[in-house]
Amino acid sequence: MEAMKDPLKVIQDNREDGFTVPSSTLYPYQWNWDSGFIALGLAHSRPEMAKDELNKLFEAQWDNGMIPQIAFWNEAEGYFPGPEEWETGNEIVPTSGITQPPVLAHAARETAESLKDEEFLEHAVDKVEKYLKWWVQYRSTESGLVYVRHPWETGMDDSPAWITPMENIQPGEQEYERKDLQREDSADERPEDWDYDRYVYLVREAKSANWNEKELREKSSFLVADVLTNCIFVRACKELSKMMQMKGREREADKWLKTAQKTSETIEDELWSTELNNYVSKNLLTEKKLLENSAAGFVSFYADIPSDKRKEALLENLEENFFSKNYAVPSYVGDSYDSGRYWRGPVWINLNWLIWEGLIGAGESDYARRIEKDSKELIEKHGYREYFDPEDGTPHGSERFSWTAALYEGWLSIRSN
Ligand code: 2M8
C-alpha cells in the first residue's frame, strides 16, 4: 500500500533543483503555498530540505516584495497558463503575476527554530518582511483586511464562494487551450470552462495593466477579502513578529503584532456570519458578504481570532455540518456541495492541517484529534492523493501529491498532545 512507503520518497521523487513540484503530472513547477506546506511538514524531521524549499521560493520574490503563486524554474509540458501567457517580465525567473496565502512565514519560523541557523533566520526575516509589507502596501483595505484579485490567489480556486463575484465578469471569447483536462481520471472534477474563461480573463486584464497593483485596485473585475487569506496573513504577521523577537528586534516585533491585531479585529467586525455560524469572505466590489459555509472559516482558529462566544458557535457548526460526514473536514457544505469536485466538498489535507493546528492552539484537542485521525486514515488507505471524498474516502486528483506526503510526514514527527 502507498502509505506504507516512506512519505519522503514522494517528496524526493517530486524534487527538482532545490524545490518540490506539487505533482509531477498536474502541477510541474514551484507553487507558493504548496512549498509553504511542504516546508511546514518537513520542518521538524528534515529542516535542511525545508530550508532549501523556502530559499528557492524566496529567490522568486519580485522587487516590489510579492512572492508569486508560481515560479517557472524548469521547462515542463502540460500546464496552462505557462510563462508565455503570464509574461510578467520578472528578471530572475519567469513567474505568474499573482500570489497565494502566505503560509511560508509560519514554515520559515518553524524551520529557523528547528535548524538554529542564524543565517537562514536573518534571510527569512528579510524576505518575509518584504513580502508582508507588500501585502500591507498593495493589498490592504483601510480597515486592515487583505484582498485577492484572482480566485487562484486563494488556493481554494473553485470554491462556491467565488461564483457570485465571478458572475459579474463578462469574459467574452477567450482563446486558450486547457491542459488540465488531459488526464481523464480527474478531468470531470476540475473547474468548468465557465470558470476558466473568467480565470483567463482576469490574467489578461491584469497583464494589460502591466501588473500594476494600484491600477488594479481600481479596475480589477474581481476583488475579494478572502477569509482564508486574511487568517493566514494574521498568523504570518505573528510568525514574523516571533522571528523578529528571535533576532532581538523588539520594536518591529511589536509593530507586526499590531498589524495582526488590526486585521484580526476587522475579521471579527466584518467577516462574521450569524446565519452560518462561520467567518466568510467579502466581495469588495459590492461590499457584500459571500454567504457560503466553507472550511476556510475554521482557519480563524489558526490565527487565534474567535472570541469565546464565536468559538462556541464555530464548534457547533463544525460538529453539526462538517463532522457529520465520515471524514473530516469537507472543504465546503451547502447547496453547491459536491463530494468529488475540486474545492467544492472534498477533504484537503492542507486545510485539515491548518484547522488541526488552530484547534490545538485553542485547547480543543478532541476536535483536533478527530481531524488528525481522519487525515491519517485517508492517506493510509488511499495513498498521498490530492483530495478525498468526505463520505467514503474515494481518492481524487493527482497521485503522489507533495503537500499530502509532507504533512503526513509532519504528523509522524510531531505529536498532537
Ligand atoms: C490548484 O491550483 C492551480 C492554480 O494555482 C490549478 O488548478 O491549476 C489549487 O489546488 C492550489 O491551491 C494549489 O496550490 C495548486 C498546486 O497544487 O493547484
Side-chain angles (χ1 to χ4, degrees), residues 33-53:
W33 83 330
D34 294 65
S35 286
F37 287 114
I38 292 163
L40 260 182
L42 300 180
H44 293 263
S45 64
R46 290 290 187 281
E48 286 291 343
M49 280 170 82
K51 169 177 150 180
D52 288 352
E53 190 74 40

Side-chain angles (χ1 to χ4, degrees), residues 203-269:
V203 169
R204 292 176 181 167
E205 181 182 68
K207 184 161 61 174
S208 72
N210 288 321
W211 310 104
N212 181 322
E213 292 294 342
K214 288 204 173 110
E215 189 176 333
L216 288 166
R217 174 75 180 93
E218 302 307 317
K219 77 178 233 200
S220 175
S221 304
F222 184 96
L223 278 190
V224 167
D226 165 38
V227 62
L228 178 70
T229 306
N230 272 279
C231 293
I232 294 175
F233 173 78
V234 168
R235 177 75 183 239
C237 293
K238 291 183 185 174
E239 295 292 356
L240 175 59
S241 172
K242 273 191 206 155
M243 288 195 282
M244 297 237 164
Q245 247 164 8
M246 285 158 78
K247 301 276 327 153
R249 291 163 64 177
E250 299 296 335
R251 276 199 20 230
E252 288 150 290
D254 200 44
K255 186 188 131 257
W256 282 103
L257 273 190
K258 290 200 174 98
T259 306
Q261 187 59 28
K262 180 173 175 192
T263 306
S264 296
E265 283 166 11
T266 315
I267 293 173
E268 275 292 72
D269 290 349

Side-chain angles (χ1 to χ4, degrees), residues 22-23 26-27 31-34 69-70 79-81 98 100-101 152-157 180 190-191 196 199 342-343 348 350 386-387 401 403:
S23 131
L26 262 185
Y27 313 109
W31 255 260
N32 181 333
W33 83 330
D34 294 65
Q69 163 225 21
I70 309 176
Y79 188 79
F80 172 83
I98 55 175
Q100 272 187 325
W152 286 337
E153 292 197 310
T154 70
M156 296 179 74
D157 309 358
D180 58 320
R190 295 279 308 170
Y196 256 82
Y199 297 158
Y342 198 67
W343 294 114
W348 290 76
N350 64 332
E386 191 179 353
Y387 45 100
F401 193 67
W403 78 40

Side-chain angles (χ1 to χ4, degrees), residues 2 7 10-11 14 20-27 31 33-34 37-38 190 342-343 348-350 379 383-388 396-408:
E2 171 93 43
V10 173
I11 303 295
N14 287 345
T20 314
V21 298
S23 131
S24 56
T25 50
L26 262 185
Y27 313 109
W31 255 260
W33 83 330
D34 294 65
F37 287 114
I38 292 163
R190 295 279 308 170
Y342 198 67
W343 294 114
W348 290 76
I349 298 302
N350 64 332
I379 295 168
Y384 303 108
R385 294 293 291 263
E386 191 179 353
Y387 45 100
F388 304 88
H396 290 282
S398 183
E399 287 170 16
R400 303 174 68 70
F401 193 67
S402 294
W403 78 40
T404 307
L407 294 172
Y408 184 75

